[in-house]
Amino acid sequence: MISIEVFNIIVYVWIGIAVILFPIQLLITAPYGRHSKTTWGPMINNRLGWFIMEFPALFFFILFIFMGRGFPQFIILAALILWFIHYFHRSVIFPLRIHTKGKQMPVAIMLFALFFNLVNGTLNGYWFGYLSVGYAADWKIDFRFIAGVILFIIGFLINQYHDRLLIRLRKSSINGYKIPYGGLFKYVSCPNFLGEIIEWGGFALMTWCLPSFSFFVWTLANLIPRAIHHHRWYKQHFKDYPNKRKAVIPFIL
Ligand SMILES: NC(=O)c1ccc[n+]([C@@H]2O[C@H](COP(=O)([O-])OP(=O)(O)OC[C@H]3O[C@@H](n4cnc5c(N)ncnc54)[C@H](OP(=O)(O)O)[C@@H]3O)[C@@H](O)[C@H]2O)c1
């Protein structure tokens, strides 16, 4: 088992990598989905890619908690349940629901995301399984825990609802794109990303620890640049795109 001091250094380095990647991801669009490119080497089926790259986050988080701690106490159990709900959906249900028939993503992108999910699932799982001293009995009535859980649930619902609206746009035009309307699309081009950011911000708040904070930073570093690229793409491809819409943060960005 590694010490908390060494573990914290690893997480600070991990956060540093996300901070460095943020401007890089603003310059280079991750080539999957509408930005997919065949110039990034071998390709893999889109749905299979989603499963392979997301499943490690589910697996390693749960594995390390049960290996290290056995059955967890209430707060860590709550974190585990919320993590499970998100990642079971993202790795198993989401790939089955998306309408991306015949579409592929670069293996390089899948491997990058797989590496991210492996490290992220391991750091968070290892923390809760081996290093965390647990939470005081009154943490469940602490403002941070209650607000964090509420934010996670709100973020999850926003993410799910808008992912669903996007997926439904596909029914009539296979692999084509349309301007999305409804819900928070009135304000931003990527409300699904906004929901995901709120979700992991809530998770960091409710668990109040360095690894969950690192996940929040990574979510910002991944999704804000992607939202900006999506927003630009919509404006380039649709002349009638609503001009008051922002990319991801209503009225601001
Ligand atoms: N935590 C993180 O770091 C992280 C990182 C990446 C993604 N995610 C999450 O993973 C989920 C999927 O990410 P994503 O980047 O693939 O989201 P996305 O680009 O918004 O696409 C979501 C789905 O809807 C389809 N779609 C999107 N816009 C459409 C339109 N205008 N018309 C028709 N279909 C449309 C996409 O098809 P195409 O694939 O064919 O474009 C895809 O199947 C999101 O919920 C996101 O929050 C999280």
Side-chain angles (χ1 to χ4, degrees):
M1 191 172 116
I2 60 170
S3 68
I4 289 198
E5 289 73 24
V6 172
F7 181 84
N8 283 346
I9 291 171
I10 295 171
V11 182
Y12 281 125
V13 171
W14 183 238
I15 291 172
I17 296 172
V19 172
I20 292 167
L21 276 179
F22 181 81
I24 295 173
Q25 298 211 84
L26 281 175
L27 292 174
I28 302 169
T29 314
Y32 67 94
R34 78 196 61 193
H35 310 289
S36 192
K37 284 190 182 131
T38 50
T39 50
W40 277 55
M43 306 288 281
I44 184 169
N45 175 278
N46 196 55
R47 286 174 154 180
L48 183 61
W50 270 101
F51 172 75
I52 294 174
M53 69 190 188
E54 297 291 327
F55 194 72
L58 178 68
F59 182 76
F60 286 103
F61 183 77
I62 294 175
L63 179 78
F64 280 115
I65 290 182
F66 281 105
M67 263 173 40
R69 190 176 285 273
F71 195 78
Q73 50 126 222
F74 178 76
I75 302 291
I76 297 178
L77 183 64
L80 189 145
I81 290 170
L82 295 181
W83 186 286
F84 178 84
I85 291 170
H86 176 91
Y87 272 108
F88 182 74
H89 175 270
R90 177 67 71 235
S91 60
V92 179
I93 299 174
F94 178 76
L96 291 175
R97 290 184 49 227
I98 49 179
H99 300 293
T100 55
K101 203 171 171 213
K103 238 183 162 170
Q104 297 193 309
M105 67 164 75
V107 172
I109 284 296
M110 185 202 74
L111 290 177
F112 174 78
L114 187 151
F115 177 71
F116 161 69
N117 282 311
L118 192 119
V119 176
N120 186 45
T122 298
L123 288 179
N124 279 279
Y126 196 84
W127 171 260
F128 291 119
Y130 289 90
L131 299 175
S132 166
V133 289
Y135 293 84
D138 59 358
W139 184 256
K140 52 174 100 56
I141 52 165
D142 191 287
F143 169 77
R144 287 164 290 184
F145 177 71
I146 296 167
V149 172
I150 292 171
L151 279 177
F152 184 97
I153 293 169
I154 290 172
F156 180 77
L157 294 175
I158 292 175
N159 176 263
Q160 291 287 307
Y161 178 72
H162 296 92
D163 265 351
R164 194 164 295 185
L165 286 184
L166 288 172
I167 289 168
R168 279 198 195 143
L169 282 178
R170 267 290 156 71
K171 280 192 176 147
S172 52
S173 64
I174 292 179
N175 283 341
Y177 293 93
K178 290 179 179 171
I179 300 177
Y181 291 100
L184 295 177
F185 280 113
K186 185 170 178 200
Y187 304 102
V188 289
S189 295
C190 302
N192 51 340
F193 297 171
L194 174 65
E196 181 115 9
I197 290 168
I198 294 171
E199 225 180 311
W200 297 113
F203 190 82
L205 190 61
M206 68 175 268
T207 54
W208 204 251
C209 61
L210 193 58
S212 61
F213 175 70
S214 78
F215 186 13
F216 179 52
V217 175
W218 267 91
T219 302
L220 291 171
N222 282 334
L223 292 184
I224 289 183
R226 188 160 175 80
I228 291 170
H229 292 303
H230 273 26
H231 187 61
R232 203 175 290 153
W233 183 95
Y234 276 124
K235 291 208 282 192
Q236 283 166 354
H237 286 79
F238 296 101
K239 294 227 158 22
D240 53 341
Y241 196 67
N243 60 11
K244 283 199 176 145
R245 238 180 241 191
K246 296 287 183 186
V248 63
I249 302 172
F251 312 112
I252 297 173
L253 179 69

